[in-house]
Amino acid sequence: KAKVGSISRTRNSATSFFILSLTLLCVVQQAAGEDHAALALRQGKKHGVIVSLGDVAQGELFLTGFNGRADARQCQLIHHIDIIKNIEGIESSSPIIEEQAFAVYNAKQIPVNIKGVTHDYDSISEIPQIIIDGMFLLDDGEHSYATLSVGAAISLQASPHYATPLELYTPKRHGRVNVANPMASVRLAQLVIGGVYQVNQHEYDSNTIIIPIEVARQLLDYTSQATAIEINVADGYNAADIAHKLSNILSGKFDVKNRIEQQEESFRMIEIEKWITFLMLAFILVIASFNIISTLSLLIIEKQDNIATMRAMGASNSMITQVFTLEGWLISVSGGIIGLILGIILTLTQQWGKIIKLGGDPSAMFIDAYPVRLDAIDLAVVFAVVLAIGFFTSQVTAWGMRRRH
């Protein structure tokens, strides 16, 4: 009975390690999948994750001055547009103007981020494909149009129609503020709301309004300046190489950002979420290791007669300690390896077979399957944690063995 009980406890300890190792690996690979999905989305990959959230709202590379405003250096930026277009590997480029403004629609007023774009901006982004109301239009020869993000549209309670114009206000860049007539110190542009878009990302959907670049220049008292140039890289070319080439050609006078650098905060949050989840499950794994310690302690008590026999045969205390230390290693490592193998199988099954689907209408989603990715580094980290915990349990067992004998 004692033998059956010890075998049962050992099996239960290995099983608990197996389950937790499996869970730890799957969660880390799921987090890696989210990270990979976000990375693939922003890098414009067409395989694995079909459409890019970043693609629909901005260019793959973002060329701007180091302060992001249309200063003297930005005045020079627009003169480099022809040079940029002729660089091998650049598919399209377009100057933009981004600045803060104040929007008024009926009785609603909110601060917004205006984005002035050229008429060929649809070659840079895929804004027309994510319009949820109305259409993407900049002007029709008679009126200038604004395309609102879904957040701005909700805040202003606005929808596409001609009845009420959208008013945008910006302070004049030159001259003093007239206290007697404050409205003389601001510039006003009236636009027709042409459409509403939704990207399903907060930074794009919160308060952005896309307007013609000519209207943006009028509001900000610019002539030909641009605050940035958005660039798309042609298929078959590496965005990092093109960014490096741009920096060299422009002598480092401008800041060239790729998708990751443009969405640095989002990627940082994904990484934090991934490793916090990993640490939480690793802590649970440490707690579970006490199950192995208790199992080995009971095993030492049950095997007193066997230990005495081994001593009579000449076995030293260190040799007997090594027996139980090795058993602690075997329990944790065997459970961990089995969990890792099954975790790899489950991860690859979901990665290739896309068995677990996300809820909602697939036609309205950019990805329809739960994103996972098997990463060798994450696999090594999980296995290292299992080995470290196995070493900890074996050392605690050895310490208890030395105290007892």
Side-chain angles (χ1 to χ4, degrees):
K1 290 183 179 179
K3 183 177 181 180
V4 172
S6 64
I7 293 174
S8 176
R9 283 191 294 271
T10 303
R11 185 179 299 164
N12 290 338
S13 298
T15 302
S16 65
F17 239 75
F18 144 66
I19 292 173
L20 287 170
S21 299
L22 172 63
T23 305
L24 182 60
L25 177 66
C26 287
V27 169
V28 170
Q29 299 308 324
Q30 173 266 327
E34 291 180 350
D35 190 25
H36 174 68
L39 178 61
L41 289 172
R42 288 168 176 81
Q43 287 181 336
K45 293 181 179 178
K46 304 303 181 183
H47 302 287
V49 181
I50 300 174
V51 179
S52 164
L53 295 179
D55 281 346
V56 300
Q58 63 184 15
E60 190 167 358
L61 295 178
F62 195 78
L63 179 65
T64 185
F66 290 102
N67 61 3
R69 294 184 177 273
D71 56 11
R73 183 171 293 179
Q74 297 302 95
C75 296
Q76 303 171 10
L77 180 61
I78 196 67
H79 300 305
H80 292 85
I81 189 71
D82 292 331
I83 299 174
I84 294 170
K85 287 182 177 179
N86 293 327
I87 295 176
E88 183 182 1
I90 292 181
E91 183 179 28
S92 55
S93 60
S94 177
I96 66 166
I97 292 177
E98 285 189 299
E99 190 55 86
Q100 299 295 314
F102 194 72
V104 178
Y105 184 82
N106 286 332
K108 302 295 180 180
Q109 306 174 1
I110 62 168
V112 295
N113 178 53
I114 58 172
K115 183 173 183 177
V117 301
T118 58
H119 291 81
D120 61 348
Y121 190 67
D122 53 358
S123 66
I124 296 291
S125 70
E126 299 177 7
I127 288 291
Q129 299 183 19
I130 55 170
I131 297 295
I132 59 174
D133 191 11
M135 61 184 296
F136 178 67
L137 185 64
L138 294 177
D139 68 66
D140 59 4
E142 295 182 5
H143 302 92
S144 295
Y145 290 81
T147 303
L148 279 61
S149 65
V150 64
I154 292 173
S155 298
L156 292 170
Q157 296 183 4
S159 59
H161 59 74
Y162 290 86
T164 306
L166 172 70
E167 297 179 345
L168 295 176
Y169 294 88
T170 59
K172 290 182 178 179
R173 298 175 60 226
H174 306 289
R176 297 181 179 180
V177 175
N178 188 340
V179 180
N181 184 16
M183 292 303 296
S185 302
V186 299
R187 288 184 176 273
L188 166 66
Q190 292 186 329
L191 303 98
V192 177
I193 299 178
V196 178
Y197 73 86
Q198 183 175 9
V199 185
N200 293 318
Q201 278 191 287
H202 175 74
E203 56 264 40
Y204 299 120
D205 290 339
S206 57
N207 65 343
T208 301
I209 296 180
I210 300 176
I211 62 176
I213 195 170
E214 295 82 9
V215 176
R217 285 172 175 159
Q218 172 197 335
L219 279 170
L220 300 170
D221 196 21
Y222 293 163
T223 53
S224 61
Q225 296 98 314
T227 58
I229 295 177
E230 293 190 9
I231 300 168
N232 266 356
V233 178
D235 293 338
Y237 289 87
N238 185 276
D241 295 339
I242 299 297
H244 182 69
K245 186 185 296 185
L246 277 170
S247 296
N248 291 336
I249 292 176
L250 300 177
S251 304
K253 296 178 180 179
F254 303 99
D255 191 15
V256 184
K257 297 181 179 180
N258 56 27
R259 291 205 190 284
I260 298 176
E261 292 167 337
Q262 293 177 56
Q263 305 297 326
E264 189 173 355
E265 291 298 324
S266 298
F267 279 97
R268 185 179 294 114
M269 289 303 298
I270 291 173
E271 282 295 317
I272 291 174
E273 177 190 358
K274 170 183 175 179
W275 291 112
I276 286 180
T277 305
F278 173 81
L279 290 175
M280 290 174 61
L281 288 174
F283 178 74
I284 295 174
L285 200 61
V286 171
I287 299 301
S289 68
F290 288 98
N291 186 27
I292 299 177
I293 296 173
S294 63
T295 298
L296 292 175
S297 299
L298 290 174
L299 190 63
I300 291 172
I301 295 173
E302 292 174 356
K303 298 297 183 181
Q304 291 300 312
D305 294 339
N306 301 86
I307 293 172
T309 302
M310 293 178 66
R311 279 207 180 89
M313 296 175 63
S316 62
N317 285 336
S318 61
M319 181 182 296
I320 297 172
T321 301
Q322 287 178 3
V323 172
F324 293 98
T325 301
L326 181 60
E327 182 163 358
W329 268 96
L330 287 175
I331 292 173
S332 58
V333 173
S334 61
I337 289 176
I338 295 173
L340 289 175
I341 291 173
L342 289 182
I344 291 171
I345 294 173
L346 290 176
T347 301
L348 291 177
T349 301
Q350 176 64 18
Q351 182 177 333
W352 293 336
K354 296 179 173 39
I355 297 174
I356 303 175
K357 301 293 184 180
L358 296 174
D361 182 11
S363 62
M365 302 171 66
F366 291 102
I367 53 174
D368 61 349
Y370 206 70
V372 296
R373 180 176 66 110
L374 188 64
D375 187 85
I377 295 177
D378 292 338
L379 186 65
V381 170
V382 172
F383 189 62
V385 169
V386 172
L387 289 180
I389 294 175
F391 177 77
F392 166 75
T393 56
S394 64
Q395 291 303 306
V396 172
T397 303
W399 175 77
M401 186 71 183
R402 285 192 294 269
R403 285 196 60 187
R404 184 174 295 275
H405 300 282

